[in-house]
Amino acid sequence: MAASKAEQAYTVLKARITDGTYGPGYRLVIDQLVREHGISSGPWRESLRRLEAEGWVEIVPNVGALVRTFDAQAFERTIRLLARLEGLATAVSAPHLTADDLAEARAFNAQMADALAGFDTNLFGRLNRRFHEVLCSKCDDPRLNDLLATEWARLDFIRRSAYWHAPGRAQASVAEHENLVALIESGAEPDEIEAAARDHEVNTLIAVTTYDAALAGHSPSESLLA
């Protein structure tokens, strides 16, 4: 069945937001979208309300719809949710990962180290996502996979403006990746794998917020360690 016009409009907007075509603060003008895509204004309005509910768009009175800009609270919320989702998906997937899957994950991690040595942070970020996609690839829960994909996309969007503010975190992330693969390889219990995958994401949150707090001259929130 063909997608509805509202679904088509939503897909176009979300894709362009998440790939950076429409960056933070970009004004989404309905008349312009109508001209560009040949879809009437109603579906665009419906898709904008949906994207607002999902946290991608902010509708400002007398201004219109704007792509949301990064803020520290959005980053913390996304990381905390992703840590839970990714931890669970990795634990569910782990027993079904093959030696080839783990070799692929290790290859991505090695490429991440090379990207870091070459100061290519954009490539590092893309490889980081591919690494985690491999570790979650055998999760057989479609609902969990959909939620995970949405939060990965949201984090990619936020990272374009925030992730690289924590010196040394990228190097630590590569080491944690290897530890996680080794844990899965050893046949560790699901709860141990889930905790390791969850802590890996939380460590990023702690590193970024601690560094930003130090720059601002105050202590990070105690909730980070909860």
Side-chain angles (χ1 to χ4, degrees):
M1 184 180 296
S4 69
K5 294 295 185 181
E7 187 67 28
Q8 291 177 39
Y10 169 83
T11 299
V12 167
L13 289 177
K14 187 171 182 180
R16 293 191 175 187
I17 291 171
T18 56
D19 72 10
T21 302
Y22 298 156
Y26 185 90
R27 185 165 176 249
L28 299 164
V29 180
I30 290 178
D31 288 347
Q32 180 181 341
L33 293 168
V34 170
R35 290 193 298 270
E36 288 179 358
H37 300 280
I39 298 175
S40 63
S41 59
W44 292 112
R45 290 192 179 91
E46 183 177 338
S47 65
L48 288 171
R49 286 193 295 270
R50 181 176 171 185
L51 288 164
E52 181 186 31
E54 293 177 356
W56 295 102
V57 165
E58 181 179 12
I59 298 178
V60 181
N62 303 318
V63 174
L66 305 175
V67 177
R68 280 193 177 275
T69 56
F70 166 80
D71 66 71
Q73 288 185 338
F75 177 66
E76 181 174 346
R77 286 194 300 269
T78 297
I79 284 283
R80 285 201 174 281
L81 179 56
L82 186 59
R84 298 289 181 180
L85 295 172
E86 195 172 285
L88 179 57
T90 302
V92 172
S93 178
H96 310 291
L97 293 171
T98 66
D100 287 344
D101 293 328
L102 297 180
E104 184 180 21
R106 280 199 168 100
F108 284 136
N109 202 37
Q111 292 172 46
M112 288 173 65
D114 291 341
L116 191 58
F119 302 100
D120 191 340
T121 56
N122 288 329
L123 176 59
F124 184 96
R126 292 195 298 273
L127 290 167
N128 179 72
R129 177 165 173 177
R130 294 184 72 180
F131 171 88
H132 287 289
E133 285 175 340
V134 170
L135 295 193
C136 296
S137 63
K138 299 298 174 66
C139 176
D140 59 358
D141 184 334
R143 172 67 172 161
L144 175 57
N145 292 334
D146 286 347
L147 291 170
L148 189 55
T150 294
E151 294 311 312
W152 271 336
R154 195 186 309 277
L155 186 60
D156 285 345
F157 175 76
I158 293 173
R159 273 176 169 160
R160 284 195 286 270
S161 62
Y163 180 67
W164 303 107
H165 289 178
R169 176 56 200 155
Q171 293 92 333
S173 184
V174 170
E176 289 171 10
H177 282 177
E178 174 55 34
N179 291 338
L180 184 55
V181 172
L183 195 63
I184 294 170
E185 200 169 44
S186 72
E189 291 296 320
D191 286 351
E192 186 178 1
I193 293 171
E194 181 175 353
R198 183 177 65 245
D199 291 347
H200 167 65
E201 293 296 346
V202 173
N203 287 344
T204 295
L205 174 61
I206 293 172
V208 170
T209 53
T210 298
Y211 181 65
D212 285 350
L215 289 179
H218 56 74
S219 299
S221 169
E222 292 181 3
S223 67
L224 296 177
L225 302 178

